[in-house]
PDB file of all heavy atoms in Angstrom:
ATOM      1  N   THR A  48     -37.517 -79.672  33.975  1.00  0.00           N
ATOM      2  CA  THR A  48     -38.103 -80.371  32.833  1.00  0.00           C
ATOM      3  C   THR A  48     -39.048 -81.468  33.314  1.00  0.00           C
ATOM      4  O   THR A  48     -40.162 -81.621  32.786  1.00  0.00           O
ATOM      5  CB  THR A  48     -36.993 -80.979  31.957  1.00  0.00           C
ATOM      6  OG1 THR A  48     -35.954 -80.011  31.809  1.00  0.00           O
ATOM      7  CG2 THR A  48     -37.522 -81.370  30.599  1.00  0.00           C
ATOM      8  N   ALA A  49     -38.588 -82.210  34.332  1.00  0.00           N
ATOM      9  CA  ALA A  49     -39.439 -83.283  34.868  1.00  0.00           C
ATOM     10  C   ALA A  49     -40.721 -82.692  35.438  1.00  0.00           C
ATOM     11  O   ALA A  49     -41.815 -83.226  35.227  1.00  0.00           O
ATOM     12  CB  ALA A  49     -38.682 -84.066  35.943  1.00  0.00           C
ATOM     13  N   LEU A  50     -40.577 -81.556  36.168  1.00  0.00           N
ATOM     14  CA  LEU A  50     -41.739 -80.894  36.753  1.00  0.00           C
ATOM     15  C   LEU A  50     -42.736 -80.496  35.663  1.00  0.00           C
ATOM     16  O   LEU A  50     -43.949 -80.668  35.798  1.00  0.00           O
ATOM     17  CB  LEU A  50     -41.282 -79.652  37.517  1.00  0.00           C
ATOM     18  CG  LEU A  50     -42.293 -79.038  38.484  1.00  0.00           C
ATOM     19  CD1 LEU A  50     -42.554 -79.988  39.635  1.00  0.00           C
ATOM     20  CD2 LEU A  50     -41.800 -77.690  38.983  1.00  0.00           C
ATOM     21  N   PHE A  51     -42.187 -79.996  34.540  1.00  0.00           N
ATOM     22  CA  PHE A  51     -43.050 -79.606  33.426  1.00  0.00           C
ATOM     23  C   PHE A  51     -43.865 -80.804  32.944  1.00  0.00           C
ATOM     24  O   PHE A  51     -45.074 -80.697  32.732  1.00  0.00           O
ATOM     25  CB  PHE A  51     -42.193 -79.053  32.284  1.00  0.00           C
ATOM     26  CG  PHE A  51     -42.975 -78.800  31.023  1.00  0.00           C
ATOM     27  CD1 PHE A  51     -43.717 -77.642  30.865  1.00  0.00           C
ATOM     28  CD2 PHE A  51     -42.986 -79.733  29.990  1.00  0.00           C
ATOM     29  CE1 PHE A  51     -44.447 -77.414  29.711  1.00  0.00           C
ATOM     30  CE2 PHE A  51     -43.708 -79.521  28.833  1.00  0.00           C
ATOM     31  CZ  PHE A  51     -44.440 -78.357  28.695  1.00  0.00           C
ATOM     32  N   PHE A  52     -43.201 -81.955  32.814  1.00  0.00           N
ATOM     33  CA  PHE A  52     -43.913 -83.129  32.328  1.00  0.00           C
ATOM     34  C   PHE A  52     -44.957 -83.591  33.350  1.00  0.00           C
ATOM     35  O   PHE A  52     -46.076 -83.959  32.980  1.00  0.00           O
ATOM     36  CB  PHE A  52     -42.934 -84.267  32.020  1.00  0.00           C
ATOM     37  CG  PHE A  52     -42.308 -84.159  30.653  1.00  0.00           C
ATOM     38  CD1 PHE A  52     -40.994 -83.731  30.494  1.00  0.00           C
ATOM     39  CD2 PHE A  52     -43.028 -84.483  29.521  1.00  0.00           C
ATOM     40  CE1 PHE A  52     -40.422 -83.623  29.240  1.00  0.00           C
ATOM     41  CE2 PHE A  52     -42.475 -84.378  28.257  1.00  0.00           C
ATOM     42  CZ  PHE A  52     -41.163 -83.947  28.114  1.00  0.00           C
ATOM     43  N   VAL A  53     -44.571 -83.566  34.638  1.00  0.00           N
ATOM     44  CA  VAL A  53     -45.498 -84.065  35.665  1.00  0.00           C
ATOM     45  C   VAL A  53     -46.712 -83.152  35.765  1.00  0.00           C
ATOM     46  O   VAL A  53     -47.862 -83.610  35.757  1.00  0.00           O
ATOM     47  CB  VAL A  53     -44.764 -84.169  37.024  1.00  0.00           C
ATOM     48  CG1 VAL A  53     -45.762 -84.479  38.133  1.00  0.00           C
ATOM     49  CG2 VAL A  53     -43.700 -85.249  36.964  1.00  0.00           C
ATOM     50  N   VAL A  54     -46.470 -81.842  35.867  1.00  0.00           N
ATOM     51  CA  VAL A  54     -47.599 -80.910  35.950  1.00  0.00           C
ATOM     52  C   VAL A  54     -48.396 -80.940  34.645  1.00  0.00           C
ATOM     53  O   VAL A  54     -49.627 -80.978  34.650  1.00  0.00           O
ATOM     54  CB  VAL A  54     -47.099 -79.475  36.256  1.00  0.00           C
ATOM     55  CG1 VAL A  54     -48.263 -78.496  36.280  1.00  0.00           C
ATOM     56  CG2 VAL A  54     -46.362 -79.451  37.585  1.00  0.00           C
ATOM     57  N   GLY A  55     -47.668 -80.968  33.521  1.00  0.00           N
ATOM     58  CA  GLY A  55     -48.330 -80.959  32.223  1.00  0.00           C
ATOM     59  C   GLY A  55     -49.231 -82.162  32.028  1.00  0.00           C
ATOM     60  O   GLY A  55     -50.268 -82.077  31.367  1.00  0.00           O
ATOM     61  N   ALA A  56     -48.835 -83.304  32.628  1.00  0.00           N
ATOM     62  CA  ALA A  56     -49.611 -84.532  32.432  1.00  0.00           C
ATOM     63  C   ALA A  56     -51.012 -84.408  33.035  1.00  0.00           C
ATOM     64  O   ALA A  56     -51.874 -85.232  32.752  1.00  0.00           O
ATOM     65  CB  ALA A  56     -48.876 -85.722  33.034  1.00  0.00           C
ATOM     66  N   GLN A  57     -51.246 -83.390  33.893  1.00  0.00           N
ATOM     67  CA  GLN A  57     -52.595 -83.178  34.438  1.00  0.00           C
ATOM     68  C   GLN A  57     -53.531 -82.694  33.342  1.00  0.00           C
ATOM     69  O   GLN A  57     -54.744 -82.820  33.459  1.00  0.00           O
ATOM     70  CB  GLN A  57     -52.577 -82.141  35.573  1.00  0.00           C
ATOM     71  CG  GLN A  57     -51.533 -82.388  36.642  1.00  0.00           C
ATOM     72  CD  GLN A  57     -51.631 -83.764  37.244  1.00  0.00           C
ATOM     73  OE1 GLN A  57     -52.711 -84.224  37.590  1.00  0.00           O
ATOM     74  NE2 GLN A  57     -50.495 -84.455  37.335  1.00  0.00           N
ATOM     75  N   LEU A  65     -48.698 -87.815  25.674  1.00  0.00           N
ATOM     76  CA  LEU A  65     -47.658 -88.396  26.527  1.00  0.00           C
ATOM     77  C   LEU A  65     -47.867 -89.889  26.718  1.00  0.00           C
ATOM     78  O   LEU A  65     -46.914 -90.662  26.805  1.00  0.00           O
ATOM     79  CB  LEU A  65     -47.705 -87.679  27.883  1.00  0.00           C
ATOM     80  CG  LEU A  65     -46.418 -87.578  28.687  1.00  0.00           C
ATOM     81  CD1 LEU A  65     -45.341 -86.937  27.863  1.00  0.00           C
ATOM     82  CD2 LEU A  65     -46.665 -86.784  29.955  1.00  0.00           C
TER      83      LEU A  65
END
Side-chain angles (χ1 to χ4, degrees):
Chain A
T48 316
L50 195 67
F51 172 82
F52 277 104
V53 171
V54 177
Q57 310 305 314
L65 209 55

